[in-house]
Amino acid sequence: WDFGGHVEYYVSHDLVLRWCRESVFVVMARLDRNRELEAENLKFWLQFIVTCMQARQEIKPSVIIACSFRDRLCKEEVEQVEEWEAQLTKRLSRVFKDKLKIHDKVFLLNTLEHDESMHKFQQVLSAECERVRLAQAKMPRVCSDVTQAFKQRQLETGCILRREHFVNTVLYEPLQAQLVNHEILCDKDTFLEDHSRLIKIALQ
């Protein structure tokens, strides 16, 4: 889920975060802006995550901090940023130590090329996602059986609703053809067909 930073999106972020469990968050900052302001922005978003997930704090969310636009800095500035990020990690880890699992390294990313920092970032993110996947609660047997049966039934020929010519029939009428979008109609037909298969599986 890509959380936009604009204020008007905060409500939708809240709705999503309240139901997150065993999550991995990548919180971004920019290296081409005032670093102290960016540090405050990072703190704001970490607190935002904590506040929204307050009811599910038995599980610490994992956080990876990454900073973009390293390519806009000269060599001396990169060295200064490396000192800044080391202090930043310690400070944020101390503030959120009981609430978030913050990775001990801030990734300084070159957004123009796939260099070593980007490769390392992807490795860490992949490892965190795999750790979360393995820690997830097991799917109930009945859900697993229905999922497998559904996949198998999708391979079968013929329509459960016996609507083989439904789309063409609707579009045959001149007025309907002007009002109905063919792609949307097909999507809705597939949606109803899939639900009918689930109902049939459940009844068997």
Side-chain angles (χ1 to χ4, degrees):
W1 186 274
D2 185 4
F3 295 96
H6 305 292
V7 176
E8 51 267 31
Y9 295 130
Y10 287 8
V11 174
S12 62
H13 296 352
D14 181 32
L15 292 172
V16 173
L17 286 171
R18 286 191 186 282
W19 294 101
C20 282
R21 295 194 61 180
E22 296 152 350
S23 307
V24 180
F25 295 94
V26 177
V27 184
M28 299 293 299
R30 291 181 59 149
L31 294 173
D32 60 341
R33 293 177 178 172
N34 182 284
R35 285 194 281 277
E36 286 310 307
L37 288 178
E38 288 299 287
E40 287 302 311
N41 286 336
L42 285 171
K43 187 177 178 181
F44 167 81
W45 283 110
L46 295 180
Q47 186 59 54
F48 189 91
I49 293 170
V50 170
T51 302
C52 291
M53 299 183 71
Q54 199 77 43
R56 297 177 179 269
Q57 279 302 300
E58 71 278 4
I59 301 171
K60 277 189 186 181
S62 293
V63 174
I64 300 172
I65 298 174
C67 299
S68 58
F69 296 106
R70 194 194 69 187
D71 45 278
R72 295 189 180 182
L73 305 181
C74 65
K75 184 177 180 181
E76 291 75 14
E77 289 176 316
V78 170
E79 292 174 355
Q80 293 174 2
V81 166
E82 289 173 348
E83 294 178 10
W84 169 77
E85 65 95 359
Q87 297 173 0
L88 177 68
T89 306
K90 291 179 182 177
R91 185 172 26 160
L92 294 177
S93 296
R94 186 168 59 250
V95 172
F96 296 100
K97 64 178 181 179
D98 297 324
K99 299 174 181 178
L100 297 172
K101 180 178 177 288
I102 301 176
H103 194 271
D104 58 5
K105 178 175 175 53
V106 174
F107 292 92
L108 310 179
L109 305 178
N110 181 339
T111 50
L112 296 180
E113 58 184 57
H114 194 105
D115 61 3
E116 182 61 28
S117 63
M118 183 66 76
H119 179 66
K120 183 63 177 175
F121 167 71
Q122 290 177 329
Q123 283 185 323
V124 170
L125 180 58
S126 178
E128 277 297 301
C129 291
E130 180 65 11
R131 183 190 63 78
V132 166
R133 186 187 69 81
L134 295 175
Q136 288 177 341
K138 300 298 183 185
M139 181 186 291
R141 178 64 182 271
V142 64
C143 294
S144 177
D145 290 346
V146 169
T147 300
Q148 293 302 319
F150 182 58
K151 289 180 180 178
Q152 181 59 38
R153 296 300 173 86
Q154 283 183 312
L155 300 176
E156 297 176 358
T157 57
C159 297
I160 301 295
L161 297 179
R162 308 202 180 284
R163 292 149 56 92
E164 291 92 338
H165 307 294
F166 171 73
V167 174
N168 289 333
T169 301
V170 172
L171 294 179
Y172 179 76
E173 297 292 332
L175 179 60
Q176 292 281 15
Q178 294 177 18
L179 298 177
V180 178
N181 180 287
H182 181 270
E183 185 177 349
I184 293 176
L185 189 62
C186 289
D187 287 343
K188 288 185 178 295
D189 190 46
T190 301
F191 176 81
L192 291 172
E193 181 67 24
D194 288 346
H195 274 63
S196 69
R197 288 182 188 279
L198 285 173
I199 293 170
K200 182 177 180 181
I201 292 169
L203 293 174
Q204 288 180 335

